Amino acid sequence: NAGVTQTPKFQVLKTGQSMTLQCAQDMNHEYMSWYRQDPGMGLRLIHYSVGAGITDQGEVPNGYNVSRSTTEDFPLRLLSAAPSQTSVYFCASSRLARDHYEQYFGPGTRLTVT
Amino acid sequence: GDSVTQMEGPVTLSEEAFLTINCTYTATGYPSLFWYVQYPGEGLQLLLKATKADDKGSNKGFEATYRKETTSFHLEKGSVQVSDSAVYFCALSEGSGYALNFGKGTSLLVTP
């Protein structure tokens, strides 16, 4: 299994541009999430999905869109990039392990918005 | 709401020193607790977990005990190695549990 994969690894955007961060998992996990990591802030939840066709907002959803058309893929769209969206983005998928969920993280996408 | 507070770093230790990274939490129910580790340039990996009070999670020489009475989940290791240099995140999940609340992370540097 490849686990959770993310592309690209690095991206530079100009303010106002749009782009999609890709995330895929081959573990047949129902739950997937997007987090952003900023210095001194830990990881904050952007959006999550509990299954194909179902998404919901996390702590910091503004400026991002998601969709979940298949179990495997969960892309994150930046509609109009802003410098405040400069961050490292992590995708995660979750499996139920007895009485709790375990999250598996991708390697991250480092995004810079100028 | 739920939250996690962990000690600020960076923490610098000599090889073979004892490590403690403090983590306390606030939750309305009975969360599951986790420690994740992030090595330089990589994603997060689950280090250990505990799902109920008094459980002890352990892995790779690291341990943490779920203390409900003090709402804590401190990470310990008896003898750190240079290869333990990384950022450590304490996290909790509650309810449906598929999303995590993270602490801000503690950077650990172990010197030879």
Side-chain angles (χ1 to χ4, degrees):
Chain A
N1 285 350
V4 180
T5 57
Q6 292 183 238
T7 56
K9 288 193 173 183
F10 302 95
Q11 182 70 49
V12 178
L13 291 178
K14 294 188 189 309
T15 297
Q17 287 184 317
S18 63
M19 80 158 293
T20 299
L21 309 186
Q22 301 292 344
C23 174
Q25 53 96 4
D26 61 358
M27 297 174 283
N28 203 32
H29 291 170
E30 285 188 57
Y31 304 107
M32 297 185 73
S33 313
W34 276 102
Y35 295 85
R36 59 177 288 173
Q37 182 182 27
D38 302 295
M41 300 288 290
L43 276 77
R44 292 180 291 169
L45 183 65
I46 304 171
H47 285 284
Y48 63 94
S49 169
V50 300
I54 306 170
T55 64
D56 206 346
Q57 297 180 352
E59 181 184 355
V60 289
N62 292 342
Y64 307 95
N65 270 2
V66 292
S67 60
R68 184 98 179 270
S69 56
T70 67
T71 299
E72 294 78 20
D73 300 299
F74 190 43
L76 178 73
R77 298 184 188 83
L78 280 69
L79 309 171
S80 177
S84 61
Q85 294 177 305
T86 293
S87 188
V88 182
Y89 292 85
F90 289 101
C91 178
S93 71
S94 307
R95 74 176 184 100
L96 183 60
R98 284 188 281 182
D99 57 353
H100 66 282
Y101 285 90
E102 288 189 3
Q103 296 217 359
Y104 296 81
F105 285 83
T109 294
R110 185 175 294 274
L111 175 67
T112 302
V113 183
T114 61
Chain B
D2 297 350
S3 66
V4 175
T5 303
Q6 59 182 108
M7 62 187 287
E8 293 189 18
V11 174
T12 302
L13 294 174
S14 298
E15 206 165 21
E16 299 184 2
F18 184 84
L19 168 71
T20 299
I21 300 178
N22 290 338
C23 171
T24 57
Y25 67 90
T26 303
T28 53
Y30 302 95
S32 296
L33 301 173
F34 306 86
W35 277 101
Y36 280 82
V37 59
Q38 184 180 31
Y39 298 103
E42 298 184 10
L44 279 73
Q45 302 174 25
L46 178 63
L47 180 59
L48 54 84
K49 63 183 185 287
T51 60
K52 58 183 186 297
D54 300 326
D55 268 3
K56 178 186 282 188
S58 61
N59 186 25
K60 298 181 181 179
F62 291 90
E63 292 183 341
T65 301
Y66 189 146
R67 301 283 188 202
K68 185 169 177 290
E69 63 276 11
T70 54
T71 62
S72 64
F73 193 53
H74 305 321
L75 182 68
E76 296 181 336
K77 186 175 186 184
S79 176
V80 294
Q81 306 300 312
V82 171
S83 57
D84 294 326
S85 298
V87 180
Y88 293 82
F89 292 92
C90 186
L92 69 79
S93 68
E94 197 168 26
S96 51
Y98 43 78
L100 291 163
N101 270 325
F102 283 91
K104 294 184 178 182
T106 302
S107 176
L108 170 66
L109 176 64
V110 180
T111 58

